Amino acid sequence: MSQSFRQPEILDIARREGKVSVESLAAHFNVTLQTIRRDLSDLAEAGKLERVHGGAIHPSGTTNIEYEERRTLNEIEKAGIARACVEHIPDGSSLFLNIGTSTEAVARELLGHSGLLVVTNNMNVANILVSNPDCQITLTGGALRRSDGGLVGAITIESIRQFKFDIAVIGCSAMDEDGDLLDFDIQEVSVSQTILSRSRKSFLVADHSKFTRSAPGRIASLSQIDALFTDQPLPADLAARCREWSTQVYMPM
């Protein structure tokens, strides 16, 4: 079966089952694993699927990918983004790191920094930074979201309002073509908006998969962000807008 026939059927299977694996598709079509990997990469580049470890999932505009899937999605790219980001975070800074696997990657890259004060609503970030003895860690409190270790709600927002951070490092679930930053959980949207309002500088860490996704809740515009750290060039129109907004865009070297 040719690629033009395989790929629509792969999409049909992904819509029905939510996820497809390389091995099961190779057996289904009687082709090699490498052939299926190429098909999935093509579909992911077209924004029709999202690659995860061992396969791909069907993207949704109303529900997020499960945390364990997000943790392995573009893991190498997120590490590179995080390294680029921490180059712009000086020792002795006060930071907020919010919920997300990209901000967790930033936390891992901060283990060598000194004199940090990090406030977070991400229990995973706090657990990572415990390994840095020269980092003061404050958890916001709030309602625990068991799915990913996030803290959200009114208590979280009230806690954040007690601070003024040097730098906020945030992630998002999606970014539309106008440069709006989007998320799935409305409580998390409110928390992120409060973080931005209490920070002198704001950094966004987001890999290229966010450029082709959608989500219902609007956090802010890239025009409100000082620097975006990503792994691939932005679409031309959005890159031009970032220049107009003086939003700096950095990619790993």
Side-chain angles (χ1 to χ4, degrees):
M1 183 181 289
S2 69
Q3 181 187 68
S4 60
F5 287 97
R6 274 196 316 274
Q7 293 191 0
E9 188 172 345
I10 290 172
L11 289 175
D12 286 340
I13 296 170
R15 290 188 190 101
R16 290 196 308 269
E17 301 181 8
K19 180 179 178 179
V20 291
S21 73
V22 172
E23 290 188 356
S24 64
L25 289 175
H28 177 77
F29 292 109
N30 194 27
V31 295
T32 66
L33 299 177
Q34 187 59 36
T35 295
I36 294 299
R37 290 191 185 101
R38 284 196 298 268
D39 284 340
L40 296 183
S41 295
D42 290 344
L43 291 167
E45 288 178 8
K48 296 177 180 179
L49 290 179
E50 294 191 35
R51 289 301 306 271
V52 296
H53 182 70
I57 60 173
H58 186 256
S60 168
T62 58
T63 57
N64 204 356
I65 307 169
E66 292 296 326
Y67 173 76
E68 286 304 318
E69 298 285 9
R70 283 185 281 134
R71 191 171 60 83
T72 57
L73 183 64
N74 298 320
E75 194 170 8
I76 294 173
E77 290 84 352
K78 288 174 185 175
I81 290 168
R83 286 191 294 272
C85 178
V86 301
E87 289 178 1
H88 296 264
I89 298 175
D91 290 339
S93 298
S94 61
L95 309 173
F96 195 102
L97 271 65
N98 78 341
I99 302 169
T101 56
S102 295
T103 51
E104 290 168 24
V106 172
R108 283 187 283 274
E109 296 299 326
L110 286 172
L111 293 180
H113 274 50
S114 61
L116 296 179
L117 167 64
V118 175
V119 183
T120 184
N121 63 329
N122 184 337
M123 293 184 68
N124 301 314
V125 162
N127 286 328
I128 291 166
L129 288 172
V130 163
S131 298
N132 182 346
D134 203 11
C135 176
Q136 182 179 339
I137 307 162
T138 298
L139 277 164
T140 60
L144 173 63
R145 201 164 63 186
R146 286 182 172 85
S147 61
D148 61 3
L151 299 165
V152 295
I155 292 173
T156 309
I157 289 172
E158 188 56 35
S159 177
I160 294 167
R161 286 177 176 154
Q162 309 309 308
F163 293 90
K164 186 74 174 182
F165 310 103
D166 294 325
I167 303 169
V169 182
I170 68 167
C172 65
S173 294
M175 186 191 318
D176 73 11
E177 60 187 11
D178 295 326
D180 281 341
L181 315 182
L182 308 172
D183 222 314
F184 294 95
D185 187 328
I186 298 304
Q187 288 193 94
E188 188 174 346
V189 166
S190 298
V191 170
S192 294
Q193 290 170 342
T194 307
I195 295 164
L196 293 175
S197 74
R198 303 302 299 163
S199 303
R200 296 181 179 90
K201 284 186 177 182
S202 54
F203 293 170
L204 174 68
V205 285
D207 67 79
H208 68 277
S209 68
K210 309 299 173 68
F211 305 162
T212 57
R213 302 193 69 201
S214 181
R218 181 183 183 275
I219 300 169
S221 166
L222 264 178
S223 63
Q224 298 167 250
I225 302 296
D226 292 292
L228 164 63
F229 298 87
T230 188
D231 60 319
Q232 291 187 14
L234 295 177
D237 288 348
L238 185 53
R241 291 185 181 187
C242 284
R243 289 191 290 272
E244 293 173 6
W245 296 329
S246 297
T247 299
Q248 299 296 312
V249 180
Y250 298 97
M251 289 183 290
M253 298 299 293

mmCIF file of all heavy atoms in Angstrom, residues 68-93:
data_model
loop_
_atom_site.group_PDB
_atom_site.id
_atom_site.type_symbol
_atom_site.label_atom_id
_atom_site.label_comp_id
_atom_site.label_asym_id
_atom_site.label_seq_id
_atom_site.Cartn_x
_atom_site.Cartn_y
_atom_site.Cartn_z
ATOM 1 N N GLU A 68 2.415 11.681 31.178
ATOM 2 C CA GLU A 68 3.509 10.772 30.852
ATOM 3 C C GLU A 68 3.858 10.821 29.368
ATOM 4 O O GLU A 68 5.017 10.659 28.984
ATOM 5 C CB GLU A 68 3.162 9.338 31.271
ATOM 6 C CG GLU A 68 3.218 9.106 32.770
ATOM 7 C CD GLU A 68 4.576 9.470 33.372
ATOM 8 O OE1 GLU A 68 5.602 9.136 32.757
ATOM 9 O OE2 GLU A 68 4.607 10.081 34.448
ATOM 10 N N GLU A 69 2.857 11.057 28.522
ATOM 11 C CA GLU A 69 3.127 11.210 27.090
ATOM 12 C C GLU A 69 3.849 12.527 26.832
ATOM 13 O O GLU A 69 4.811 12.598 26.056
ATOM 14 C CB GLU A 69 1.824 11.161 26.291
ATOM 15 C CG GLU A 69 1.056 9.859 26.404
ATOM 16 C CD GLU A 69 1.701 8.738 25.597
ATOM 17 O OE1 GLU A 69 2.825 8.917 25.086
ATOM 18 O OE2 GLU A 69 1.078 7.676 25.500
ATOM 19 N N ARG A 70 3.385 13.601 27.492
ATOM 20 C CA ARG A 70 4.027 14.904 27.307
ATOM 21 C C ARG A 70 5.475 14.882 27.788
ATOM 22 O O ARG A 70 6.337 15.563 27.220
ATOM 23 C CB ARG A 70 3.257 15.985 28.073
ATOM 24 C CG ARG A 70 1.978 16.420 27.391
ATOM 25 C CD ARG A 70 1.339 17.571 28.129
ATOM 26 N NE ARG A 70 0.623 17.153 29.307
ATOM 27 C CZ ARG A 70 0.705 17.746 30.493
ATOM 28 N NH1 ARG A 70 1.533 18.756 30.679
ATOM 29 N NH2 ARG A 70 -0.014 17.323 31.509
ATOM 30 N N ARG A 71 5.738 14.119 28.831
ATOM 31 C CA ARG A 71 7.081 14.084 29.397
ATOM 32 C C ARG A 71 8.108 13.557 28.402
ATOM 33 O O ARG A 71 9.270 13.976 28.401
ATOM 34 C CB ARG A 71 7.067 13.228 30.671
ATOM 35 C CG ARG A 71 8.330 13.328 31.505
ATOM 36 C CD ARG A 71 8.145 12.641 32.846
ATOM 37 N NE ARG A 71 7.823 11.230 32.672
ATOM 38 C CZ ARG A 71 8.722 10.274 32.471
ATOM 39 N NH1 ARG A 71 10.012 10.590 32.374
ATOM 40 N NH2 ARG A 71 8.363 9.021 32.339
ATOM 41 N N THR A 72 7.709 12.626 27.536
ATOM 42 C CA THR A 72 8.637 12.048 26.568
ATOM 43 C C THR A 72 8.544 12.708 25.187
ATOM 44 O O THR A 72 9.369 12.434 24.322
ATOM 45 C CB THR A 72 8.381 10.539 26.414
ATOM 46 O OG1 THR A 72 7.023 10.323 26.014
ATOM 47 C CG2 THR A 72 8.618 9.826 27.733
ATOM 48 N N LEU A 73 7.551 13.575 24.994
ATOM 49 C CA LEU A 73 7.364 14.224 23.698
ATOM 50 C C LEU A 73 8.437 15.299 23.500
ATOM 51 O O LEU A 73 8.555 16.231 24.293
ATOM 52 C CB LEU A 73 5.966 14.852 23.639
ATOM 53 C CG LEU A 73 5.555 15.524 22.333
ATOM 54 C CD1 LEU A 73 5.474 14.516 21.198
ATOM 55 C CD2 LEU A 73 4.213 16.234 22.504
ATOM 56 N N ASN A 74 9.250 15.160 22.429
ATOM 57 C CA ASN A 74 10.307 16.130 22.101
ATOM 58 C C ASN A 74 11.242 16.376 23.300
ATOM 59 O O ASN A 74 11.655 17.509 23.566
ATOM 60 C CB ASN A 74 9.697 17.455 21.627
ATOM 61 C CG ASN A 74 8.883 17.294 20.363
ATOM 62 O OD1 ASN A 74 9.273 16.561 19.455
ATOM 63 N ND2 ASN A 74 7.748 17.960 20.299
ATOM 64 N N GLU A 75 11.603 15.296 23.972
ATOM 65 C CA GLU A 75 12.402 15.410 25.190
ATOM 66 C C GLU A 75 13.773 16.031 24.929
ATOM 67 O O GLU A 75 14.235 16.891 25.689
ATOM 68 C CB GLU A 75 12.558 14.021 25.807
ATOM 69 C CG GLU A 75 13.067 14.003 27.223
ATOM 70 C CD GLU A 75 12.972 12.623 27.842
ATOM 71 O OE1 GLU A 75 12.650 11.651 27.121
ATOM 72 O OE2 GLU A 75 13.231 12.520 29.054
ATOM 73 N N ILE A 76 14.430 15.629 23.856
ATOM 74 C CA ILE A 76 15.760 16.171 23.532
ATOM 75 C C ILE A 76 15.649 17.657 23.190
ATOM 76 O O ILE A 76 16.467 18.481 23.625
ATOM 77 C CB ILE A 76 16.394 15.384 22.367
ATOM 78 C CG1 ILE A 76 16.678 13.942 22.805
ATOM 79 C CG2 ILE A 76 17.676 16.060 21.885
ATOM 80 C CD1 ILE A 76 17.141 13.036 21.686
ATOM 81 N N GLU A 77 14.621 18.007 22.425
ATOM 82 C CA GLU A 77 14.420 19.412 22.042
ATOM 83 C C GLU A 77 14.162 20.279 23.271
ATOM 84 O O GLU A 77 14.683 21.402 23.379
ATOM 85 C CB GLU A 77 13.254 19.530 21.056
ATOM 86 C CG GLU A 77 13.534 18.964 19.675
ATOM 87 C CD GLU A 77 13.313 17.451 19.588
ATOM 88 O OE1 GLU A 77 13.082 16.808 20.635
ATOM 89 O OE2 GLU A 77 13.385 16.917 18.452
ATOM 90 N N LYS A 78 13.367 19.767 24.209
ATOM 91 C CA LYS A 78 13.081 20.535 25.424
ATOM 92 C C LYS A 78 14.346 20.778 26.234
ATOM 93 O O LYS A 78 14.519 21.856 26.820
ATOM 94 C CB LYS A 78 12.039 19.803 26.266
ATOM 95 C CG LYS A 78 10.643 19.836 25.675
ATOM 96 C CD LYS A 78 9.688 18.972 26.479
ATOM 97 C CE LYS A 78 8.320 18.905 25.815
ATOM 98 N NZ LYS A 78 7.406 17.979 26.525
ATOM 99 N N ALA A 79 15.236 19.791 26.271
ATOM 100 C CA ALA A 79 16.495 19.963 26.998
ATOM 101 C C ALA A 79 17.327 21.076 26.368
ATOM 102 O O ALA A 79 17.933 21.893 27.070
ATOM 103 C CB ALA A 79 17.266 18.650 27.028
ATOM 104 N N GLY A 80 17.366 21.113 25.032
ATOM 105 C CA GLY A 80 18.098 22.178 24.348
ATOM 106 C C GLY A 80 17.492 23.542 24.595
ATOM 107 O O GLY A 80 18.205 24.540 24.813
ATOM 108 N N ILE A 81 16.168 23.622 24.574
ATOM 109 C CA ILE A 81 15.465 24.871 24.865
ATOM 110 C C ILE A 81 15.796 25.339 26.276
ATOM 111 O O ILE A 81 16.060 26.522 26.523
ATOM 112 C CB ILE A 81 13.944 24.669 24.695
ATOM 113 C CG1 ILE A 81 13.590 24.479 23.223
ATOM 114 C CG2 ILE A 81 13.168 25.841 25.289
ATOM 115 C CD1 ILE A 81 12.176 23.987 22.982
ATOM 116 N N ALA A 82 15.773 24.397 27.219
ATOM 117 C CA ALA A 82 16.057 24.742 28.614
ATOM 118 C C ALA A 82 17.463 25.290 28.777
ATOM 119 O O ALA A 82 17.684 26.268 29.503
ATOM 120 C CB ALA A 82 15.848 23.516 29.494
ATOM 121 N N ARG A 83 18.440 24.670 28.102
ATOM 122 C CA ARG A 83 19.822 25.163 28.204
ATOM 123 C C ARG A 83 19.927 26.584 27.669
ATOM 124 O O ARG A 83 20.628 27.429 28.252
ATOM 125 C CB ARG A 83 20.773 24.230 27.445
ATOM 126 C CG ARG A 83 21.033 22.911 28.173
ATOM 127 C CD ARG A 83 22.173 22.145 27.542
ATOM 128 N NE ARG A 83 21.859 21.682 26.185
ATOM 129 C CZ ARG A 83 21.267 20.535 25.912
ATOM 130 N NH1 ARG A 83 20.905 19.715 26.890
ATOM 131 N NH2 ARG A 83 21.026 20.179 24.661
ATOM 132 N N ALA A 84 19.244 26.865 26.550
ATOM 133 C CA ALA A 84 19.264 28.220 25.995
ATOM 134 C C ALA A 84 18.625 29.208 26.967
ATOM 135 O O ALA A 84 19.094 30.341 27.128
ATOM 136 C CB ALA A 84 18.538 28.239 24.652
ATOM 137 N N CYS A 85 17.557 28.781 27.612
ATOM 138 C CA CYS A 85 16.846 29.662 28.544
ATOM 139 C C CYS A 85 17.712 30.026 29.742
ATOM 140 O O CYS A 85 17.806 31.210 30.122
ATOM 141 C CB CYS A 85 15.553 28.987 28.984
ATOM 142 S SG CYS A 85 14.592 29.922 30.194
ATOM 143 N N VAL A 86 18.353 29.035 30.369
ATOM 144 C CA VAL A 86 19.070 29.319 31.616
ATOM 145 C C VAL A 86 20.314 30.170 31.380
ATOM 146 O O VAL A 86 20.825 30.783 32.327
ATOM 147 C CB VAL A 86 19.429 28.021 32.376
ATOM 148 C CG1 VAL A 86 18.176 27.229 32.721
ATOM 149 C CG2 VAL A 86 20.419 27.169 31.594
ATOM 150 N N GLU A 87 20.767 30.248 30.144
ATOM 151 C CA GLU A 87 21.871 31.160 29.842
ATOM 152 C C GLU A 87 21.477 32.611 30.100
ATOM 153 O O GLU A 87 22.339 33.475 30.266
ATOM 154 C CB GLU A 87 22.309 30.989 28.382
ATOM 155 C CG GLU A 87 23.033 29.676 28.107
ATOM 156 C CD GLU A 87 23.408 29.537 26.638
ATOM 157 O OE1 GLU A 87 23.113 30.469 25.863
ATOM 158 O OE2 GLU A 87 23.981 28.490 26.269
ATOM 159 N N HIS A 88 20.180 32.879 30.125
ATOM 160 C CA HIS A 88 19.677 34.237 30.343
ATOM 161 C C HIS A 88 19.156 34.438 31.766
ATOM 162 O O HIS A 88 18.515 35.452 32.051
ATOM 163 C CB HIS A 88 18.569 34.537 29.322
ATOM 164 C CG HIS A 88 19.055 34.549 27.909
ATOM 165 N ND1 HIS A 88 19.403 35.712 27.245
ATOM 166 C CD2 HIS A 88 19.275 33.530 27.032
ATOM 167 C CE1 HIS A 88 19.804 35.406 26.019
ATOM 168 N NE2 HIS A 88 19.734 34.098 25.867
ATOM 169 N N ILE A 89 19.424 33.473 32.635
ATOM 170 C CA ILE A 89 19.014 33.574 34.035
ATOM 171 C C ILE A 89 20.265 33.712 34.890
ATOM 172 O O ILE A 89 21.037 32.754 35.051
ATOM 173 C CB ILE A 89 18.207 32.334 34.470
ATOM 174 C CG1 ILE A 89 16.926 32.218 33.636
ATOM 175 C CG2 ILE A 89 17.879 32.411 35.960
ATOM 176 C CD1 ILE A 89 16.121 30.960 33.920
ATOM 177 N N PRO A 90 20.534 34.879 35.441
ATOM 178 C CA PRO A 90 21.755 35.051 36.240
ATOM 179 C C PRO A 90 21.625 34.419 37.620
ATOM 180 O O PRO A 90 20.510 34.228 38.144
ATOM 181 C CB PRO A 90 21.887 36.575 36.343
ATOM 182 C CG PRO A 90 20.510 37.102 36.141
ATOM 183 C CD PRO A 90 19.794 36.130 35.249
ATOM 184 N N ASP A 91 22.766 34.080 38.212
ATOM 185 C CA ASP A 91 22.776 33.657 39.613
ATOM 186 C C ASP A 91 22.141 34.757 40.464
ATOM 187 O O ASP A 91 22.203 35.949 40.135
ATOM 188 C CB ASP A 91 24.200 33.401 40.084
ATOM 189 C CG ASP A 91 24.811 32.156 39.451
ATOM 190 O OD1 ASP A 91 24.048 31.283 38.985
ATOM 191 O OD2 ASP A 91 26.054 32.067 39.412
ATOM 192 N N GLY A 92 21.546 34.347 41.566
ATOM 193 C CA GLY A 92 20.963 35.320 42.480
ATOM 194 C C GLY A 92 19.606 35.842 42.060
ATOM 195 O O GLY A 92 19.138 36.843 42.616
ATOM 196 N N SER A 93 18.960 35.186 41.115
ATOM 197 C CA SER A 93 17.654 35.638 40.624
ATOM 198 C C SER A 93 16.513 35.041 41.439
ATOM 199 O O SER A 93 16.636 33.962 42.022
ATOM 200 C CB SER A 93 17.466 35.224 39.158
ATOM 201 O OG SER A 93 18.418 35.811 38.315
#
